[in-house]
Amino acid sequence: VRRSIFCVIMGCEDYEDCFEKLVRADLLKNRVERDTVRVLMECCGNEKSYNKFYSHLAARICEFQPQSKFTFQLAFWDMFKQFDEMKTRKAANLAKLLFSLVIAPNCLKLNLLKPIDMAAPEDLSENATIFLTIFLSSVLEHFDDPADIRRLFESLAKGQSSKAKIDDGTESLEDTDALQASLTVFLVQIMKSSPKYKKGSRFRTNLKTAIKACDTGDLV
């Protein structure tokens, strides 16, 4: 099945052609859909340089089939466990894929980062740091209006329940608080030291907005 998915992805003309072929071949149904998402991410990660084709295809799949958003979330969580073994290029490519899905309407959310403990950035693996730096830099440089950044990071505070709901992918308020706190540490300790953090830059303005939006009160 995965070989068939790979052949479709590699042999299509563009992302719409690929999407239509996946639908016609029933490769977005039931358990096979999981294989399609994972093959897509594997192909994306192994490209020599990032190809936006995968962003468009992934967003199209999520638009067509909303439950695929959770499949992508689980696939990213599995990927996070492999930081120590993967090539740096793969970490960089998948960071850009995640960025594209976070900024796309009704796709993935920042809370997908919750399995990564950012509270002690010095303990993160090199690939985890590269992944987070590329992902967050892309987010901070994307938005013209700091209000959009504020809404994105404040969304972390809007926990839906005080009880964890593992089956549907939502998180507990405790999980949300932990993510806000660890993300704030990473933003302050790592992102502030970026060469992009220049006076008057969009990056600097948006970073300050992000820190203020997700800070829990004792770090900034």
Side-chain angles (χ1 to χ4, degrees), residues 40-58:
L40 184 159
M41 290 180 59
E42 194 65 28
C43 291
C44 175
N46 287 323
E47 291 280 0
K48 289 184 178 180
S49 59
Y50 185 67
N51 189 336
K52 291 184 179 179
F53 161 84
Y54 298 102
S55 294
H56 296 307
L57 178 59

Side-chain angles (χ1 to χ4, degrees), residues 131-144:
F131 176 89
L132 289 168
T133 301
I134 291 175
F135 168 72
L136 291 169
S137 293
S138 299
V139 169
L140 295 171
E141 291 184 299
H142 174 73
F143 293 101
D144 291 321

Side-chain angles (χ1 to χ4, degrees), residues 40-41 44-59 72 76 79-80 83 86 88-104 107-108 112-113 127-139 141-142 196:
L40 184 159
M41 290 180 59
C44 175
N46 287 323
E47 291 280 0
K48 289 184 178 180
S49 59
Y50 185 67
N51 189 336
K52 291 184 179 179
F53 161 84
Y54 298 102
S55 294
H56 296 307
L57 178 59
F72 273 103
F76 271 105
M79 186 273 287
F80 295 163
F83 277 135
M86 71 175 61
T88 299
R89 178 182 65 201
K90 183 174 183 178
N93 285 346
L94 291 177
K96 293 174 183 176
L97 177 64
L98 179 58
F99 157 72
S100 71
L101 292 176
V102 166
I103 65 166
C107 279
L108 303 184
L112 185 144
L113 296 176
N127 280 336
T129 302
I130 288 171
F131 176 89
L132 289 168
T133 301
I134 291 175
F135 168 72
L136 291 169
S137 293
S138 299
V139 169
E141 291 184 299
H142 174 73
K196 298 176 182 179

Side-chain angles (χ1 to χ4, degrees), residues 27-172:
L27 293 174
L28 294 177
K29 288 186 176 180
N30 304 320
R31 292 180 179 272
V32 181
E33 174 246 11
R34 301 177 191 175
D35 288 321
T36 297
V37 167
R38 291 176 186 274
V39 171
L40 184 159
M41 290 180 59
E42 194 65 28
C43 291
C44 175
N46 287 323
E47 291 280 0
K48 289 184 178 180
S49 59
Y50 185 67
N51 189 336
K52 291 184 179 179
F53 161 84
Y54 298 102
S55 294
H56 296 307
L57 178 59
R60 187 71 180 88
I61 290 171
C62 290
E63 178 188 17
F64 170 74
Q65 192 163 262
Q67 63 264 34
S68 292
K69 292 184 283 187
F70 188 50
T71 306
F72 273 103
Q73 176 175 303
L74 293 177
F76 271 105
W77 284 356
D78 285 342
M79 186 273 287
F80 295 163
K81 300 173 186 176
Q82 301 165 14
F83 277 135
D84 289 338
E85 302 132 36
M86 71 175 61
K87 293 180 179 179
T88 299
R89 178 182 65 201
K90 183 174 183 178
N93 285 346
L94 291 177
K96 293 174 183 176
L97 177 64
L98 179 58
F99 157 72
S100 71
L101 292 176
V102 166
I103 65 166
N106 303 312
C107 279
L108 303 184
K109 298 182 179 180
L110 276 180
N111 60 12
L112 185 144
L113 296 176
K114 66 183 179 181
I116 306 177
D117 184 3
M118 296 170 272
E122 66 277 8
D123 294 335
L124 289 170
S125 68
E126 181 180 1
N127 280 336
T129 302
I130 288 171
F131 176 89
L132 289 168
T133 301
I134 291 175
F135 168 72
L136 291 169
S137 293
S138 299
V139 169
L140 295 171
E141 291 184 299
H142 174 73
F143 293 101
D144 291 321
D145 188 350
D148 293 324
I149 284 285
R150 185 177 65 252
R151 280 190 289 270
L152 178 65
F153 283 84
E154 283 181 346
S155 68
L156 290 172
K158 297 175 182 177
Q160 297 179 21
S161 170
S162 59
K163 281 175 124 181
K165 297 180 180 178
I166 303 301
D167 289 340
D168 66 2
T170 60
E171 71 282 356
S172 69

